[in-house]
Amino acid sequence: KSLFCPISSEKVAEKVVRITGFFIAVLIFSSMAFQLPLLMGVVITDYFIRAFTHHYTSPLSRLAKGIVKHFKINSKLIDKGPKIFAARIGFSCALGGTLLYLLSPIAGTILLSVLLAFALLESLGNICAGCIMYTYVTPRKTRQS
């Protein structure tokens, strides 16, 4: 079965997306390892900006853009659509995992670990879990139109 990603007229630099994913992974890991819930606030806010705003660039994406520009890293442009979908999933997992952690630290840690794995897949493996999920949750009829 071939993957289907939502189409967007907007494009983003692939390396910026991957570096941003790496920052997210570092923050989630650090938050869990060192018991720093404030870091999850940064993650949740960053995901929110990327998922639900169109006129603002998230702080982590801005930092990633600066790194790409400073080191003159070549990056191809990719559709922004799947990244928006993935950011919405990331926001939901980050918020849900953080709130769940208050009720059940084990359950919260499991959900945040899944989010950490998705961020690492994106940053290190260039595998968009959001794109894969979109393929399986969107009815075939919608994808063909």
Side-chain angles (χ1 to χ4, degrees):
K1 188 174 182 179
S2 63
L3 292 180
F4 172 79
C5 293
I7 304 300
S8 172
S9 60
E10 295 180 74
K11 302 285 185 185
V12 291
E14 180 184 48
K15 300 296 184 190
V16 171
V17 171
R18 293 181 71 183
I19 292 169
T20 303
F22 182 76
F23 291 151
I24 290 289
V26 168
L27 288 172
I28 294 169
F29 176 80
S30 298
S31 177
M32 292 190 308
F34 303 112
Q35 301 290 308
L36 298 170
L38 182 61
L39 293 180
M40 283 311 299
V42 173
V43 170
I44 292 166
T45 301
D46 198 82
Y47 270 127
F48 180 85
I49 292 169
R50 287 187 283 130
F52 302 109
T53 67
H54 296 286
H55 302 294
Y56 301 103
T57 303
S58 77
L60 296 178
S61 292
R62 209 174 286 144
L63 181 59
K65 282 181 184 179
I67 289 171
V68 166
K69 184 177 179 179
H70 178 76
F71 291 104
K72 298 178 178 130
I73 300 170
N74 290 331
S75 184
K76 70 178 180 177
L77 295 178
I78 58 174
D79 285 334
K80 188 175 181 180
K83 303 310 174 189
I84 293 170
F85 182 77
R88 290 177 180 168
I89 293 171
F91 171 76
S92 299
C93 288
L95 181 62
T98 302
L99 294 175
L100 187 58
Y101 188 86
L102 299 173
L103 299 172
S104 171
I106 292 173
T109 299
I110 290 170
L111 184 54
L112 293 175
S113 295
V114 169
L115 182 59
L116 173 62
F118 285 172
L120 288 172
L121 281 171
E122 176 70 59
S123 66
L124 301 177
N126 198 23
I127 299 169
C128 179
C131 186
I132 294 167
M133 293 170 103
Y134 187 88
T135 300
Y136 292 104
V137 299
T138 305
R140 182 176 295 274
K141 193 176 211 179
T142 303
R143 292 192 309 243
Q144 293 173 347
S145 53

